[in-house]
């Protein structure tokens, strides 16, 4: 139930961040963040296939723990893709509403990630070792 509530709040934050999406052409910086977000999203899906991935934080039954590709650098790369997409809306809209919604989105994704990690620790005994090796949730660990 908590996972569904967290996801619902996440969706609301994204919508508030995006609306009102102004009708002027996006700036190069807006497009850059949108493209990086999309590229990261596709990279994540190339490693974490649809039958293993969910928008809800609960791991799928018989799901596989993915530790390669983008998961080698950060534990929640899909959340980073969402954060970057939200940032593109903030840059495009240039409104306090979008900025506050984006900050709220980061907060809810952090709460969601912590909840998901508790569930992953319970369902995947190797997750604790993975957490020790990949220290960051969202920002890539390059060293």
């Amino acid at each position: 139930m908590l996972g569904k509530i967290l996801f619902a709040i996440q969706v609301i934050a994204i919508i508030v961040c995006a609306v009102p999406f102004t009708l002027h052409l996006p700036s190069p910086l807006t497009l850059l963040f949108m493209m990086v977000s999309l590229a990261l999203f596709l990279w994540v899906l190339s490693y974490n296939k649809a039958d293993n991935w969910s928008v809800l934080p609960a791991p799928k039954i018989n799901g596989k723990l993915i530790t390669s590709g983008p998961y080698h650098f950060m534990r929640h790369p899909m959340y980073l893709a969402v954060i970057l997409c939200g940032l593109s809306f903030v840059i495009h809209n240039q409104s306090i509403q979008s900025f506050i919604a984006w900050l709220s989105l980061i907060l809810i994704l952090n709460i969601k990630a912590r909840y998901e990690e508790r569930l992953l620790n319970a369902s995947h005994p190797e997750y604790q070792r993975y957490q020790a090796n990949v220290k960051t949730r969202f920002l890539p660990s390059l060293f």
Side-chain angles (χ1 to χ4, degrees):
M1 180 67 173
L2 178 59
K4 290 179 181 179
I5 293 169
L6 292 171
F7 177 68
I9 296 170
Q10 171 188 335
V11 169
I12 291 167
I14 292 168
I15 292 169
V16 172
C17 197
V19 174
F21 195 79
T22 56
L23 296 179
H24 64 276
L25 291 175
S27 71
L29 189 59
T30 298
L31 291 174
L32 173 68
F33 279 104
M34 285 182 174
M35 297 307 295
V36 169
S37 173
L38 178 61
L40 181 55
F41 174 77
L42 294 173
W43 189 27
V44 168
L45 288 183
S46 74
Y47 279 85
N48 199 355
K49 304 294 185 204
D51 61 340
N52 196 58
W53 180 79
S54 172
V55 295
L56 300 177
K60 287 194 171 183
I61 296 171
N62 299 321
K64 180 181 172 191
L65 180 64
I66 308 297
T67 60
S68 57
Y71 293 91
H72 177 76
F73 302 102
M74 65 199 108
R75 296 193 306 263
H76 300 278
M78 186 61 78
Y79 293 178
L80 177 60
V82 172
I83 290 168
L84 293 175
C85 181
L87 180 58
S88 71
F89 292 133
V90 171
I91 293 167
H92 184 74
N93 291 333
Q94 297 181 8
S95 73
I96 193 70
Q97 167 190 317
S98 289
F99 182 70
I100 291 170
W102 181 66
L103 292 178
S104 300
L105 178 63
I106 293 170
L107 176 65
I108 197 65
L109 288 174
N110 192 35
I111 293 167
K112 187 178 171 188
R114 288 174 187 267
Y115 176 66
E116 182 175 3
E117 288 176 347
R118 283 197 309 260
L119 299 175
L120 285 166
N121 270 309
S123 64
H124 295 284
E126 67 273 24
Y127 192 77
Q128 194 168 17
R129 186 171 9 117
Y130 170 66
Q131 274 184 300
N133 292 334
V134 180
K135 302 211 181 305
T136 64
R137 283 191 179 95
F138 306 127
L139 296 177
S141 176
L142 302 176
F143 302 100

